[in-house]
Short mmCIF file of all heavy atoms in Angstrom, two decimals:
data_model
loop_
_atom_site.label_atom_id
_atom_site.label_comp_id
_atom_site.label_asym_id
_atom_site.label_seq_id
_atom_site.Cartn_x
_atom_site.Cartn_y
_atom_site.Cartn_z
N TRP A 22 -75.02 -28.99 17.85
CA TRP A 22 -75.62 -27.74 18.26
C TRP A 22 -75.79 -26.90 16.99
O TRP A 22 -76.88 -26.22 16.90
CB TRP A 22 -74.75 -27.02 19.26
CG TRP A 22 -74.63 -27.56 20.62
CD1 TRP A 22 -75.50 -28.45 21.20
CD2 TRP A 22 -73.66 -27.35 21.64
NE1 TRP A 22 -75.15 -28.72 22.47
CE2 TRP A 22 -74.00 -28.06 22.75
CE3 TRP A 22 -72.51 -26.56 21.61
CZ2 TRP A 22 -73.16 -28.06 23.88
CZ3 TRP A 22 -71.71 -26.55 22.78
CH2 TRP A 22 -72.07 -27.24 23.91
N ILE A 57 -68.80 -22.55 25.45
CA ILE A 57 -67.65 -23.42 25.72
C ILE A 57 -66.48 -22.61 26.29
O ILE A 57 -66.14 -21.55 25.71
CB ILE A 57 -67.19 -24.16 24.37
CG1 ILE A 57 -68.34 -24.94 23.72
CG2 ILE A 57 -66.03 -25.09 24.69
CD1 ILE A 57 -68.02 -25.53 22.44
N ASN A 63 -51.02 -24.06 26.96
CA ASN A 63 -50.48 -24.37 25.63
C ASN A 63 -48.96 -24.35 25.62
O ASN A 63 -48.41 -23.19 25.57
CB ASN A 63 -51.12 -23.43 24.67
CG ASN A 63 -50.53 -23.54 23.24
OD1 ASN A 63 -50.23 -24.64 22.86
ND2 ASN A 63 -50.43 -22.43 22.59
N GLU A 106 -48.81 -37.07 18.85
CA GLU A 106 -47.44 -37.26 18.21
C GLU A 106 -47.55 -36.90 16.70
O GLU A 106 -48.59 -37.20 16.08
CB GLU A 106 -47.09 -38.76 18.33
CG GLU A 106 -45.63 -38.93 18.74
CD GLU A 106 -45.26 -40.43 18.73
OE1 GLU A 106 -46.17 -41.19 19.16
OE2 GLU A 106 -44.14 -40.71 18.28
N VAL A 236 -43.02 7.17 36.04
CA VAL A 236 -43.70 6.34 37.13
C VAL A 236 -43.11 5.01 37.39
O VAL A 236 -43.13 4.44 38.45
CB VAL A 236 -45.25 6.30 36.68
CG1 VAL A 236 -45.97 5.43 37.60
CG2 VAL A 236 -45.81 7.62 36.51
N GLY A 279 -39.27 -8.65 39.90
CA GLY A 279 -38.70 -9.91 40.36
C GLY A 279 -38.65 -10.90 39.15
O GLY A 279 -38.19 -10.51 38.07
N ARG A 282 -43.03 -11.60 34.86
CA ARG A 282 -43.22 -10.66 33.71
C ARG A 282 -44.68 -10.20 33.69
O ARG A 282 -45.57 -11.00 33.56
CB ARG A 282 -42.77 -11.31 32.41
CG ARG A 282 -42.86 -10.42 31.22
CD ARG A 282 -42.39 -11.23 30.02
NE ARG A 282 -42.42 -10.42 28.77
CZ ARG A 282 -43.47 -10.23 28.03
NH1 ARG A 282 -44.66 -10.74 28.29
NH2 ARG A 282 -43.36 -9.46 26.90
#
Side-chain angles (χ1 to χ4, degrees):
W22 288 340
I57 304 178
N63 174 34
E106 221 186 322
V236 176
R282 182 179 183 275

